[in-house]
mmCIF file with all atom_site columns, all heavy atoms in Angstrom:
data_model
loop_
_atom_site.group_PDB
_atom_site.id
_atom_site.type_symbol
_atom_site.label_atom_id
_atom_site.label_alt_id
_atom_site.label_comp_id
_atom_site.label_asym_id
_atom_site.label_entity_id
_atom_site.label_seq_id
_atom_site.pdbx_PDB_ins_code
_atom_site.Cartn_x
_atom_site.Cartn_y
_atom_site.Cartn_z
_atom_site.occupancy
_atom_site.B_iso_or_equiv
_atom_site.pdbx_formal_charge
_atom_site.auth_seq_id
_atom_site.auth_comp_id
_atom_site.auth_asym_id
_atom_site.auth_atom_id
_atom_site.pdbx_PDB_model_num
ATOM 1   N N   . ASN A 1 1  ? 0.791  -1.214 0.025   1.00 89.00 ? 1  ASN A N   1
ATOM 2   C CA  . ASN A 1 1  ? -0.006 0.054  0.008   1.00 89.00 ? 1  ASN A CA  1
ATOM 3   C C   . ASN A 1 1  ? 0.874  1.240  0.018   1.00 89.00 ? 1  ASN A C   1
ATOM 4   O O   . ASN A 1 1  ? 0.408  2.303  0.368   1.00 89.00 ? 1  ASN A O   1
ATOM 5   C CB  . ASN A 1 1  ? -0.941 0.023  1.197   1.00 89.00 ? 1  ASN A CB  1
ATOM 6   C CG  . ASN A 1 1  ? -1.940 -1.064 1.146   1.00 89.00 ? 1  ASN A CG  1
ATOM 7   O OD1 . ASN A 1 1  ? -2.452 -1.558 0.090   1.00 89.00 ? 1  ASN A OD1 1
ATOM 8   N ND2 . ASN A 1 1  ? -2.308 -1.621 2.420   1.00 89.00 ? 1  ASN A ND2 1
ATOM 9   N N   . SER A 1 2  ? 2.051  1.230  -0.432  1.00 89.00 ? 2  SER A N   1
ATOM 10  C CA  . SER A 1 2  ? 2.912  2.345  -0.628  1.00 89.00 ? 2  SER A CA  1
ATOM 11  C C   . SER A 1 2  ? 2.396  3.274  -1.746  1.00 89.00 ? 2  SER A C   1
ATOM 12  O O   . SER A 1 2  ? 2.473  4.489  -1.792  1.00 89.00 ? 2  SER A O   1
ATOM 13  C CB  . SER A 1 2  ? 4.370  2.066  -0.733  1.00 89.00 ? 2  SER A CB  1
ATOM 14  O OG  . SER A 1 2  ? 4.523  1.211  -1.869  1.00 89.00 ? 2  SER A OG  1
ATOM 15  N N   . VAL A 1 3  ? 1.894  2.613  -2.772  1.00 91.00 ? 3  VAL A N   1
ATOM 16  C CA  . VAL A 1 3  ? 1.272  3.288  -3.995  1.00 91.00 ? 3  VAL A CA  1
ATOM 17  C C   . VAL A 1 3  ? -0.253 2.937  -4.021  1.00 91.00 ? 3  VAL A C   1
ATOM 18  O O   . VAL A 1 3  ? -0.505 1.751  -4.437  1.00 91.00 ? 3  VAL A O   1
ATOM 19  C CB  . VAL A 1 3  ? 1.996  3.051  -5.287  1.00 91.00 ? 3  VAL A CB  1
ATOM 20  C CG1 . VAL A 1 3  ? 1.342  3.815  -6.509  1.00 91.00 ? 3  VAL A CG1 1
ATOM 21  C CG2 . VAL A 1 3  ? 3.427  3.371  -5.235  1.00 91.00 ? 3  VAL A CG2 1
ATOM 22  N N   . ARG A 1 4  ? -1.028 3.757  -3.646  1.00 89.00 ? 4  ARG A N   1
ATOM 23  C CA  . ARG A 1 4  ? -2.501 3.474  -3.486  1.00 89.00 ? 4  ARG A CA  1
ATOM 24  C C   . ARG A 1 4  ? -3.204 3.461  -4.887  1.00 89.00 ? 4  ARG A C   1
ATOM 25  O O   . ARG A 1 4  ? -4.192 2.710  -5.074  1.00 89.00 ? 4  ARG A O   1
ATOM 26  C CB  . ARG A 1 4  ? -3.166 4.411  -2.562  1.00 89.00 ? 4  ARG A CB  1
ATOM 27  C CG  . ARG A 1 4  ? -2.567 4.324  -1.111  1.00 89.00 ? 4  ARG A CG  1
ATOM 28  C CD  . ARG A 1 4  ? -3.384 5.248  -0.157  1.00 89.00 ? 4  ARG A CD  1
ATOM 29  N NE  . ARG A 1 4  ? -2.868 5.200  1.183   1.00 89.00 ? 4  ARG A NE  1
ATOM 30  C CZ  . ARG A 1 4  ? -3.243 4.265  2.033   1.00 89.00 ? 4  ARG A CZ  1
ATOM 31  N NH1 . ARG A 1 4  ? -4.135 3.314  1.688   1.00 89.00 ? 4  ARG A NH1 1
ATOM 32  N NH2 . ARG A 1 4  ? -2.733 4.305  3.253   1.00 89.00 ? 4  ARG A NH2 1
ATOM 33  N N   . LYS A 1 5  ? -2.763 4.227  -5.803  1.00 88.00 ? 5  LYS A N   1
ATOM 34  C CA  . LYS A 1 5  ? -3.511 4.311  -7.132  1.00 88.00 ? 5  LYS A CA  1
ATOM 35  C C   . LYS A 1 5  ? -2.428 4.040  -8.179  1.00 88.00 ? 5  LYS A C   1
ATOM 36  O O   . LYS A 1 5  ? -1.321 4.735  -8.228  1.00 88.00 ? 5  LYS A O   1
ATOM 37  C CB  . LYS A 1 5  ? -4.048 5.723  -7.237  1.00 88.00 ? 5  LYS A CB  1
ATOM 38  C CG  . LYS A 1 5  ? -4.921 5.845  -8.614  1.00 88.00 ? 5  LYS A CG  1
ATOM 39  C CD  . LYS A 1 5  ? -5.448 7.229  -8.662  1.00 88.00 ? 5  LYS A CD  1
ATOM 40  C CE  . LYS A 1 5  ? -6.233 7.454  -9.952  1.00 88.00 ? 5  LYS A CE  1
ATOM 41  N NZ  . LYS A 1 5  ? -6.771 8.836  -10.107 1.00 88.00 ? 5  LYS A NZ  1
ATOM 42  N N   . ILE A 1 6  ? -2.725 3.212  -9.096  1.00 91.00 ? 6  ILE A N   1
ATOM 43  C CA  . ILE A 1 6  ? -1.841 2.987  -10.240 1.00 91.00 ? 6  ILE A CA  1
ATOM 44  C C   . ILE A 1 6  ? -2.715 3.219  -11.502 1.00 91.00 ? 6  ILE A C   1
ATOM 45  O O   . ILE A 1 6  ? -3.745 2.535  -11.768 1.00 91.00 ? 6  ILE A O   1
ATOM 46  C CB  . ILE A 1 6  ? -1.382 1.500  -10.214 1.00 91.00 ? 6  ILE A CB  1
ATOM 47  C CG1 . ILE A 1 6  ? -0.567 1.177  -8.970  1.00 91.00 ? 6  ILE A CG1 1
ATOM 48  C CG2 . ILE A 1 6  ? -0.487 1.219  -11.503 1.00 91.00 ? 6  ILE A CG2 1
ATOM 49  C CD1 . ILE A 1 6  ? -0.109 -0.278 -8.867  1.00 91.00 ? 6  ILE A CD1 1
ATOM 50  N N   . ASN A 1 7  ? -2.204 4.092  -12.232 1.00 90.00 ? 7  ASN A N   1
ATOM 51  C CA  . ASN A 1 7  ? -2.904 4.465  -13.535 1.00 90.00 ? 7  ASN A CA  1
ATOM 52  C C   . ASN A 1 7  ? -2.391 3.620  -14.606 1.00 90.00 ? 7  ASN A C   1
ATOM 53  O O   . ASN A 1 7  ? -1.228 3.619  -14.896 1.00 90.00 ? 7  ASN A O   1
ATOM 54  C CB  . ASN A 1 7  ? -2.687 5.978  -13.913 1.00 90.00 ? 7  ASN A CB  1
ATOM 55  C CG  . ASN A 1 7  ? -3.172 6.939  -12.839 1.00 90.00 ? 7  ASN A CG  1
ATOM 56  O OD1 . ASN A 1 7  ? -4.324 6.798  -12.363 1.00 90.00 ? 7  ASN A OD1 1
ATOM 57  N ND2 . ASN A 1 7  ? -2.321 7.910  -12.489 1.00 90.00 ? 7  ASN A ND2 1
ATOM 58  N N   . ARG A 1 8  ? -3.371 2.854  -15.298 1.00 88.00 ? 8  ARG A N   1
ATOM 59  C CA  . ARG A 1 8  ? -3.098 2.081  -16.393 1.00 88.00 ? 8  ARG A CA  1
ATOM 60  C C   . ARG A 1 8  ? -3.503 2.649  -17.782 1.00 88.00 ? 8  ARG A C   1
ATOM 61  O O   . ARG A 1 8  ? -3.566 1.983  -18.749 1.00 88.00 ? 8  ARG A O   1
ATOM 62  C CB  . ARG A 1 8  ? -3.746 0.737  -16.261 1.00 88.00 ? 8  ARG A CB  1
ATOM 63  C CG  . ARG A 1 8  ? -3.421 0.051  -14.835 1.00 88.00 ? 8  ARG A CG  1
ATOM 64  C CD  . ARG A 1 8  ? -3.908 -1.404 -14.737 1.00 88.00 ? 8  ARG A CD  1
ATOM 65  N NE  . ARG A 1 8  ? -3.550 -1.898 -13.429 1.00 88.00 ? 8  ARG A NE  1
ATOM 66  C CZ  . ARG A 1 8  ? -2.505 -2.580 -13.111 1.00 88.00 ? 8  ARG A CZ  1
ATOM 67  N NH1 . ARG A 1 8  ? -1.574 -2.678 -14.148 1.00 88.00 ? 8  ARG A NH1 1
ATOM 68  N NH2 . ARG A 1 8  ? -2.209 -3.000 -11.933 1.00 88.00 ? 8  ARG A NH2 1
ATOM 69  N N   . SER A 1 9  ? -3.592 3.947  -17.760 1.00 86.00 ? 9  SER A N   1
ATOM 70  C CA  . SER A 1 9  ? -3.937 4.648  -18.994 1.00 86.00 ? 9  SER A CA  1
ATOM 71  C C   . SER A 1 9  ? -2.635 4.851  -19.820 1.00 86.00 ? 9  SER A C   1
ATOM 72  O O   . SER A 1 9  ? -1.503 4.886  -19.330 1.00 86.00 ? 9  SER A O   1
ATOM 73  C CB  . SER A 1 9  ? -4.630 5.943  -18.645 1.00 86.00 ? 9  SER A CB  1
ATOM 74  O OG  . SER A 1 9  ? -4.800 6.779  -19.808 1.00 86.00 ? 9  SER A OG  1
ATOM 75  N N   . ALA A 1 10 ? -2.886 5.058  -21.097 1.00 85.00 ? 10 ALA A N   1
ATOM 76  C CA  . ALA A 1 10 ? -1.773 5.342  -22.079 1.00 85.00 ? 10 ALA A CA  1
ATOM 77  C C   . ALA A 1 10 ? -1.457 6.789  -22.148 1.00 85.00 ? 10 ALA A C   1
ATOM 78  O O   . ALA A 1 10 ? -0.521 7.148  -22.954 1.00 85.00 ? 10 ALA A O   1
ATOM 79  C CB  . ALA A 1 10 ? -2.083 4.747  -23.447 1.00 85.00 ? 10 ALA A CB  1
ATOM 80  N N   . GLN A 1 11 ? -2.149 7.647  -21.493 1.00 88.00 ? 11 GLN A N   1
ATOM 81  C CA  . GLN A 1 11 ? -1.843 9.137  -21.508 1.00 88.00 ? 11 GLN A CA  1
ATOM 82  C C   . GLN A 1 11 ? -0.693 9.416  -20.795 1.00 88.00 ? 11 GLN A C   1
ATOM 83  O O   . GLN A 1 11 ? -0.309 8.723  -19.766 1.00 88.00 ? 11 GLN A O   1
ATOM 84  C CB  . GLN A 1 11 ? -3.129 9.840  -20.966 1.00 88.00 ? 11 GLN A CB  1
ATOM 85  C CG  . GLN A 1 11 ? -4.377 9.643  -21.780 1.00 88.00 ? 11 GLN A CG  1
ATOM 86  C CD  . GLN A 1 11 ? -5.484 10.535 -21.271 1.00 88.00 ? 11 GLN A CD  1
ATOM 87  O OE1 . GLN A 1 11 ? -5.314 11.188 -20.280 1.00 88.00 ? 11 GLN A OE1 1
ATOM 88  N NE2 . GLN A 1 11 ? -6.630 10.392 -21.849 1.00 88.00 ? 11 GLN A NE2 1
ATOM 89  N N   . ASN A 1 12 ? 0.050  10.434 -21.317 1.00 89.00 ? 12 ASN A N   1
ATOM 90  C CA  . ASN A 1 12 ? 1.343  10.744 -20.766 1.00 89.00 ? 12 ASN A CA  1
ATOM 91  C C   . ASN A 1 12 ? 1.280  11.260 -19.265 1.00 89.00 ? 12 ASN A C   1
ATOM 92  O O   . ASN A 1 12 ? 2.109  10.904 -18.497 1.00 89.00 ? 12 ASN A O   1
ATOM 93  C CB  . ASN A 1 12 ? 2.019  11.864 -21.630 1.00 89.00 ? 12 ASN A CB  1
ATOM 94  C CG  . ASN A 1 12 ? 2.433  11.316 -23.015 1.00 89.00 ? 12 ASN A CG  1
ATOM 95  O OD1 . ASN A 1 12 ? 2.489  10.206 -23.212 1.00 89.00 ? 12 ASN A OD1 1
ATOM 96  N ND2 . ASN A 1 12 ? 2.534  12.257 -23.971 1.00 89.00 ? 12 ASN A ND2 1
ATOM 97  N N   . TRP A 1 13 ? 0.270  12.134 -19.002 1.00 90.00 ? 13 TRP A N   1
ATOM 98  C CA  . TRP A 1 13 ? 0.233  12.607 -17.590 1.00 90.00 ? 13 TRP A CA  1
ATOM 99  C C   . TRP A 1 13 ? -0.087 11.556 -16.660 1.00 90.00 ? 13 TRP A C   1
ATOM 100 O O   . TRP A 1 13 ? 0.299  11.640 -15.465 1.00 90.00 ? 13 TRP A O   1
ATOM 101 C CB  . TRP A 1 13 ? -0.715 13.749 -17.588 1.00 90.00 ? 13 TRP A CB  1
ATOM 102 C CG  . TRP A 1 13 ? -2.111 13.480 -17.882 1.00 90.00 ? 13 TRP A CG  1
ATOM 103 C CD1 . TRP A 1 13 ? -2.831 13.232 -19.069 1.00 90.00 ? 13 TRP A CD1 1
ATOM 104 C CD2 . TRP A 1 13 ? -3.202 13.134 -16.872 1.00 90.00 ? 13 TRP A CD2 1
ATOM 105 N NE1 . TRP A 1 13 ? -4.162 12.982 -18.964 1.00 90.00 ? 13 TRP A NE1 1
ATOM 106 C CE2 . TRP A 1 13 ? -4.277 12.925 -17.561 1.00 90.00 ? 13 TRP A CE2 1
ATOM 107 C CE3 . TRP A 1 13 ? -3.079 13.152 -15.549 1.00 90.00 ? 13 TRP A CE3 1
ATOM 108 C CZ2 . TRP A 1 13 ? -5.585 12.597 -16.913 1.00 90.00 ? 13 TRP A CZ2 1
ATOM 109 C CZ3 . TRP A 1 13 ? -4.320 12.829 -14.776 1.00 90.00 ? 13 TRP A CZ3 1
ATOM 110 C CH2 . TRP A 1 13 ? -5.477 12.615 -15.484 1.00 90.00 ? 13 TRP A CH2 1
ATOM 111 N N   . HIS A 1 14 ? -0.879 10.484 -17.021 1.00 91.00 ? 14 HIS A N   1
ATOM 112 C CA  . HIS A 1 14 ? -1.109 9.409  -16.168 1.00 91.00 ? 14 HIS A CA  1
ATOM 113 C C   . HIS A 1 14 ? 0.184  8.602  -15.883 1.00 91.00 ? 14 HIS A C   1
ATOM 114 O O   . HIS A 1 14 ? 0.443  8.148  -14.726 1.00 91.00 ? 14 HIS A O   1
ATOM 115 C CB  . HIS A 1 14 ? -2.145 8.511  -16.801 1.00 91.00 ? 14 HIS A CB  1
ATOM 116 C CG  . HIS A 1 14 ? -3.563 8.901  -16.586 1.00 91.00 ? 14 HIS A CG  1
ATOM 117 N ND1 . HIS A 1 14 ? -4.558 8.590  -17.444 1.00 91.00 ? 14 HIS A ND1 1
ATOM 118 C CD2 . HIS A 1 14 ? -4.137 9.851  -15.698 1.00 91.00 ? 14 HIS A CD2 1
ATOM 119 C CE1 . HIS A 1 14 ? -5.706 9.173  -17.075 1.00 91.00 ? 14 HIS A CE1 1
ATOM 120 N NE2 . HIS A 1 14 ? -5.408 9.993  -16.044 1.00 91.00 ? 14 HIS A NE2 1
ATOM 121 N N   . GLN A 1 15 ? 0.918  8.424  -16.913 1.00 91.00 ? 15 GLN A N   1
ATOM 122 C CA  . GLN A 1 15 ? 2.268  7.670  -16.749 1.00 91.00 ? 15 GLN A CA  1
ATOM 123 C C   . GLN A 1 15 ? 3.176  8.452  -15.919 1.00 91.00 ? 15 GLN A C   1
ATOM 124 O O   . GLN A 1 15 ? 3.977  7.911  -15.021 1.00 91.00 ? 15 GLN A O   1
ATOM 125 C CB  . GLN A 1 15 ? 2.849  7.412  -18.174 1.00 91.00 ? 15 GLN A CB  1
ATOM 126 C CG  . GLN A 1 15 ? 2.021  6.461  -18.937 1.00 91.00 ? 15 GLN A CG  1
ATOM 127 C CD  . GLN A 1 15 ? 2.606  6.212  -20.355 1.00 91.00 ? 15 GLN A CD  1
ATOM 128 O OE1 . GLN A 1 15 ? 3.687  6.729  -20.699 1.00 91.00 ? 15 GLN A OE1 1
ATOM 129 N NE2 . GLN A 1 15 ? 1.868  5.397  -21.185 1.00 91.00 ? 15 GLN A NE2 1
ATOM 130 N N   . LEU A 1 16 ? 3.334  9.813  -16.159 1.00 92.00 ? 16 LEU A N   1
ATOM 131 C CA  . LEU A 1 16 ? 4.193  10.655 -15.333 1.00 92.00 ? 16 LEU A CA  1
ATOM 132 C C   . LEU A 1 16 ? 3.705  10.705 -13.823 1.00 92.00 ? 16 LEU A C   1
ATOM 133 O O   . LEU A 1 16 ? 4.490  10.725 -12.923 1.00 92.00 ? 16 LEU A O   1
ATOM 134 C CB  . LEU A 1 16 ? 4.190  12.124 -15.868 1.00 92.00 ? 16 LEU A CB  1
ATOM 135 C CG  . LEU A 1 16 ? 4.858  12.277 -17.153 1.00 92.00 ? 16 LEU A CG  1
ATOM 136 C CD1 . LEU A 1 16 ? 4.680  13.661 -17.681 1.00 92.00 ? 16 LEU A CD1 1
ATOM 137 C CD2 . LEU A 1 16 ? 6.372  12.010 -16.991 1.00 92.00 ? 16 LEU A CD2 1
ATOM 138 N N   . GLU A 1 17 ? 2.335  10.602 -13.625 1.00 93.00 ? 17 GLU A N   1
ATOM 139 C CA  . GLU A 1 17 ? 1.826  10.484 -12.272 1.00 93.00 ? 17 GLU A CA  1
ATOM 140 C C   . GLU A 1 17 ? 2.339  9.135  -11.552 1.00 93.00 ? 17 GLU A C   1
ATOM 141 O O   . GLU A 1 17 ? 2.632  9.203  -10.391 1.00 93.00 ? 17 GLU A O   1
ATOM 142 C CB  . GLU A 1 17 ? 0.358  10.612 -12.303 1.00 93.00 ? 17 GLU A CB  1
ATOM 143 C CG  . GLU A 1 17 ? -0.277 10.673 -10.814 1.00 93.00 ? 17 GLU A CG  1
ATOM 144 C CD  . GLU A 1 17 ? -1.777 10.749 -10.836 1.00 93.00 ? 17 GLU A CD  1
ATOM 145 O OE1 . GLU A 1 17 ? -2.334 10.803 -11.990 1.00 93.00 ? 17 GLU A OE1 1
ATOM 146 O OE2 . GLU A 1 17 ? -2.420 10.868 -9.792  1.00 93.00 ? 17 GLU A OE2 1
ATOM 147 N N   . ASN A 1 18 ? 2.289  8.089  -12.346 1.00 92.00 ? 18 ASN A N   1
ATOM 148 C CA  . ASN A 1 18 ? 2.763  6.801  -11.730 1.00 92.00 ? 18 ASN A CA  1
ATOM 149 C C   . ASN A 1 18 ? 4.253  6.864  -11.366 1.00 92.00 ? 18 ASN A C   1
ATOM 150 O O   . ASN A 1 18 ? 4.616  6.452  -10.302 1.00 92.00 ? 18 ASN A O   1
ATOM 151 C CB  . ASN A 1 18 ? 2.620  5.682  -12.826 1.00 92.00 ? 18 ASN A CB  1
ATOM 152 C CG  . ASN A 1 18 ? 1.120  5.350  -13.009 1.00 92.00 ? 18 ASN A CG  1
ATOM 153 O OD1 . ASN A 1 18 ? 0.257  5.611  -12.087 1.00 92.00 ? 18 ASN A OD1 1
ATOM 154 N ND2 . ASN A 1 18 ? 0.789  4.751  -14.118 1.00 92.00 ? 18 ASN A ND2 1
ATOM 155 N N   . LEU A 1 19 ? 5.051  7.509  -12.159 1.00 93.00 ? 19 LEU A N   1
ATOM 156 C CA  . LEU A 1 19 ? 6.389  7.609  -11.906 1.00 93.00 ? 19 LEU A CA  1
ATOM 157 C C   . LEU A 1 19 ? 6.704  8.588  -10.684 1.00 93.00 ? 19 LEU A C   1
ATOM 158 O O   . LEU A 1 19 ? 7.508  8.254  -9.792  1.00 93.00 ? 19 LEU A O   1
ATOM 159 C CB  . LEU A 1 19 ? 7.241  8.228  -13.127 1.00 93.00 ? 19 LEU A CB  1
ATOM 160 C CG  . LEU A 1 19 ? 7.258  7.304  -14.337 1.00 93.00 ? 19 LEU A CG  1
ATOM 161 C CD1 . LEU A 1 19 ? 7.988  7.976  -15.547 1.00 93.00 ? 19 LEU A CD1 1
ATOM 162 C CD2 . LEU A 1 19 ? 8.021  6.002  -14.095 1.00 93.00 ? 19 LEU A CD2 1
ATOM 163 N N   . SER A 1 20 ? 5.900  9.601  -10.599 1.00 93.00 ? 20 SER A N   1
ATOM 164 C CA  . SER A 1 20 ? 6.005  10.467 -9.398  1.00 93.00 ? 20 SER A CA  1
ATOM 165 C C   . SER A 1 20 ? 5.614  9.788  -8.073  1.00 93.00 ? 20 SER A C   1
ATOM 166 O O   . SER A 1 20 ? 6.247  9.922  -7.107  1.00 93.00 ? 20 SER A O   1
ATOM 167 C CB  . SER A 1 20 ? 5.083  11.650 -9.593  1.00 93.00 ? 20 SER A CB  1
ATOM 168 O OG  . SER A 1 20 ? 5.555  12.483 -10.745 1.00 93.00 ? 20 SER A OG  1
ATOM 169 N N   . ASN A 1 21 ? 4.537  8.937  -8.158  1.00 93.00 ? 21 ASN A N   1
ATOM 170 C CA  . ASN A 1 21 ? 4.159  8.103  -6.977  1.00 93.00 ? 21 ASN A CA  1
ATOM 171 C C   . ASN A 1 21 ? 5.254  7.166  -6.657  1.00 93.00 ? 21 ASN A C   1
ATOM 172 O O   . ASN A 1 21 ? 5.426  6.827  -5.435  1.00 93.00 ? 21 ASN A O   1
ATOM 173 C CB  . ASN A 1 21 ? 2.799  7.544  -7.292  1.00 93.00 ? 21 ASN A CB  1
ATOM 174 C CG  . ASN A 1 21 ? 1.675  8.493  -7.410  1.00 93.00 ? 21 ASN A CG  1
ATOM 175 O OD1 . ASN A 1 21 ? 1.690  9.589  -6.892  1.00 93.00 ? 21 ASN A OD1 1
ATOM 176 N ND2 . ASN A 1 21 ? 0.687  8.112  -8.192  1.00 93.00 ? 21 ASN A ND2 1
ATOM 177 N N   . PHE A 1 22 ? 5.779  6.528  -7.578  1.00 93.00 ? 22 PHE A N   1
ATOM 178 C CA  . PHE A 1 22 ? 6.905  5.539  -7.406  1.00 93.00 ? 22 PHE A CA  1
ATOM 179 C C   . PHE A 1 22 ? 8.098  6.288  -6.685  1.00 93.00 ? 22 PHE A C   1
ATOM 180 O O   . PHE A 1 22 ? 8.601  5.698  -5.698  1.00 93.00 ? 22 PHE A O   1
ATOM 181 C CB  . PHE A 1 22 ? 7.299  4.931  -8.721  1.00 93.00 ? 22 PHE A CB  1
ATOM 182 C CG  . PHE A 1 22 ? 8.591  4.050  -8.553  1.00 93.00 ? 22 PHE A CG  1
ATOM 183 C CD1 . PHE A 1 22 ? 8.502  2.798  -7.902  1.00 93.00 ? 22 PHE A CD1 1
ATOM 184 C CD2 . PHE A 1 22 ? 9.827  4.438  -9.108  1.00 93.00 ? 22 PHE A CD2 1
ATOM 185 C CE1 . PHE A 1 22 ? 9.594  2.071  -7.765  1.00 93.00 ? 22 PHE A CE1 1
ATOM 186 C CE2 . PHE A 1 22 ? 10.882 3.675  -8.988  1.00 93.00 ? 22 PHE A CE2 1
ATOM 187 C CZ  . PHE A 1 22 ? 10.821 2.495  -8.326  1.00 93.00 ? 22 PHE A CZ  1
ATOM 188 N N   . ILE A 1 23 ? 8.467  7.518  -7.105  1.00 93.00 ? 23 ILE A N   1
ATOM 189 C CA  . ILE A 1 23 ? 9.571  8.169  -6.504  1.00 93.00 ? 23 ILE A CA  1
ATOM 190 C C   . ILE A 1 23 ? 9.211  8.582  -5.063  1.00 93.00 ? 23 ILE A C   1
ATOM 191 O O   . ILE A 1 23 ? 10.080 8.435  -4.195  1.00 93.00 ? 23 ILE A O   1
ATOM 192 C CB  . ILE A 1 23 ? 9.912  9.426  -7.349  1.00 93.00 ? 23 ILE A CB  1
ATOM 193 C CG1 . ILE A 1 23 ? 10.478 9.023  -8.753  1.00 93.00 ? 23 ILE A CG1 1
ATOM 194 C CG2 . ILE A 1 23 ? 10.995 10.218 -6.668  1.00 93.00 ? 23 ILE A CG2 1
ATOM 195 C CD1 . ILE A 1 23 ? 10.648 10.135 -9.632  1.00 93.00 ? 23 ILE A CD1 1
ATOM 196 N N   . LYS A 1 24 ? 8.007  8.984  -4.831  1.00 93.00 ? 24 LYS A N   1
ATOM 197 C CA  . LYS A 1 24 ? 7.584  9.294  -3.399  1.00 93.00 ? 24 LYS A CA  1
ATOM 198 C C   . LYS A 1 24 ? 7.623  8.106  -2.571  1.00 93.00 ? 24 LYS A C   1
ATOM 199 O O   . LYS A 1 24 ? 7.984  8.194  -1.335  1.00 93.00 ? 24 LYS A O   1
ATOM 200 C CB  . LYS A 1 24 ? 6.295  9.974  -3.398  1.00 93.00 ? 24 LYS A CB  1
ATOM 201 C CG  . LYS A 1 24 ? 6.152  11.322 -4.135  1.00 93.00 ? 24 LYS A CG  1
ATOM 202 C CD  . LYS A 1 24 ? 4.741  11.868 -4.071  1.00 93.00 ? 24 LYS A CD  1
ATOM 203 C CE  . LYS A 1 24 ? 4.687  13.229 -4.801  1.00 93.00 ? 24 LYS A CE  1
ATOM 204 N NZ  . LYS A 1 24 ? 3.249  13.739 -4.795  1.00 93.00 ? 24 LYS A NZ  1
#
C-alpha cells in the first residue's frame, strides 16, 4: 500500500503520475 493508485492509462500525464508516486 505504498502506492495506492496505479494509472493504467496510455496518456502521458497518467504515466508521469505513476512515476512520481513511485519516486515518493
Side-chain angles (χ1 to χ4, degrees):
N1 298 324
S2 59
V3 181
R4 298 183 179 274
K5 181 182 178 181
I6 300 177
N7 299 312
R8 302 184 183 274
S9 174
Q11 296 182 3
N12 292 340
W13 65 275
H14 281 156
Q15 296 178 1
L16 289 173
E17 184 179 1
N18 290 336
L19 293 177
S20 298
N21 293 333
F22 171 72
I23 295 172
K24 294 179 181 179

